[in-house]
Amino acid sequence: MILAIDTSGSLAAVAVHDGSEVVFAGSGTRVRAHGEELGPLLAEAMSGRTRRFTHVVVGRGPGLYTGLRVGLAAASSIGWALDLPVLGFCSLDVLAEQFDGGLGGCAVVVDARRQELFWARYADGRRISGPDVGKAEAVRAEIGAGVPVHGDTALLDGVASGERGSVRIDPGALGRFAAQLVALGRGEPPVPIYLRSPDVTASAGAKSALPGGS
């Protein structure tokens, strides 16, 4: 039985796959409330399961810094407590599977804030470019003409200040993707994919107080 977690987007997503089908699929209801909502989702997902869990699978992002850390920390803690392997994956790969079935050639774009987009390109069920982050114009050029694009496609026309994407990872798709990942042995180390520095940085005063600060 596989437990799958992703907190790269604005809503937490959790799924359980028993090797044949998705037996639990749930997502949060409040934007960027991963810390409050992931625990109850995991409790519901893991309760009453008669078969032993064999793997924990978790999204590595790219995504917003704090939410991403919540999911990765939870997956690592569960893996340690239950002595299970913890496998990571690029969260954009789930969206490619969700929208395209992982069979054709496509690109996926999602809101990255700061008037930027996270993106990746796929062909024959595999990622061939990305993940990366950039402004809409640069992302369009990287993807190229004639490639079907899924996700926050409206933002490819330019992300206005305060404009937000609405794409969400479907927890059912997450569960199916996690089962395929385990079956194919494609898991990666569960470490975050950070494509830029966090929004919060140390102030000049704080830096000067650090050893070696000036």
Side-chain angles (χ1 to χ4, degrees):
M1 193 169 289
I2 300 162
L3 176 66
I5 302 168
D6 190 276
T7 55
S8 63
S10 57
L11 298 178
V14 175
V16 175
H17 197 288
D18 69 358
S20 299
E21 61 182 354
V22 176
V23 295
F24 176 85
S27 60
T29 59
R30 291 183 292 142
V31 172
R32 302 182 73 181
H34 305 88
E36 296 86 351
E37 297 197 330
L38 183 59
L41 280 171
L42 289 170
E44 185 178 359
M46 300 177 72
S47 65
R49 305 300 172 198
T50 58
R51 292 175 59 187
R52 183 178 181 272
F53 284 93
T54 60
H55 296 80
V56 182
V57 177
V58 61
R60 302 174 54 217
L64 302 181
Y65 184 87
T66 302
L68 195 57
R69 297 295 299 185
V70 169
L72 286 162
S76 296
S77 297
I78 293 170
W80 175 82
L82 299 182
D83 193 24
L84 302 177
V86 181
L87 308 178
F89 63 88
C90 173
S91 300
L92 298 180
D93 295 355
V94 179
L95 290 172
E97 180 75 21
Q98 179 176 321
F99 288 114
D100 188 63
L103 299 176
C106 73
V108 173
V109 296
V110 296
D111 180 19
R113 305 294 177 96
R114 299 189 191 177
Q115 297 180 262
E116 293 181 325
L117 293 163
F118 295 127
W119 69 275
R121 185 174 171 182
Y122 299 82
D124 300 322
R126 287 186 175 271
R127 181 167 15 100
I128 59 172
S129 298
D132 210 338
V133 63
K135 300 291 186 182
E137 184 177 355
V139 172
R140 281 199 309 271
E142 290 283 355
I143 291 173
V147 177
V149 184
H150 305 286
D152 289 320
T153 55
L155 301 185
L156 275 175
D157 294 329
V159 187
S161 179
E163 189 175 5
R164 295 290 175 257
S166 60
V167 67
R168 304 281 188 267
I169 286 181
D170 173 70
L174 172 64
R176 292 186 292 273
F177 177 86
Q180 293 175 13
L181 188 89
V182 171
L184 295 173
R186 292 184 180 176
E188 303 167 349
V191 295
I193 298 174
Y194 291 142
L195 300 178
R196 63 187 184 198
S197 301
D199 292 323
V200 178
T201 57
S203 65
K207 289 180 180 178
S208 63
L210 295 172
S214 56

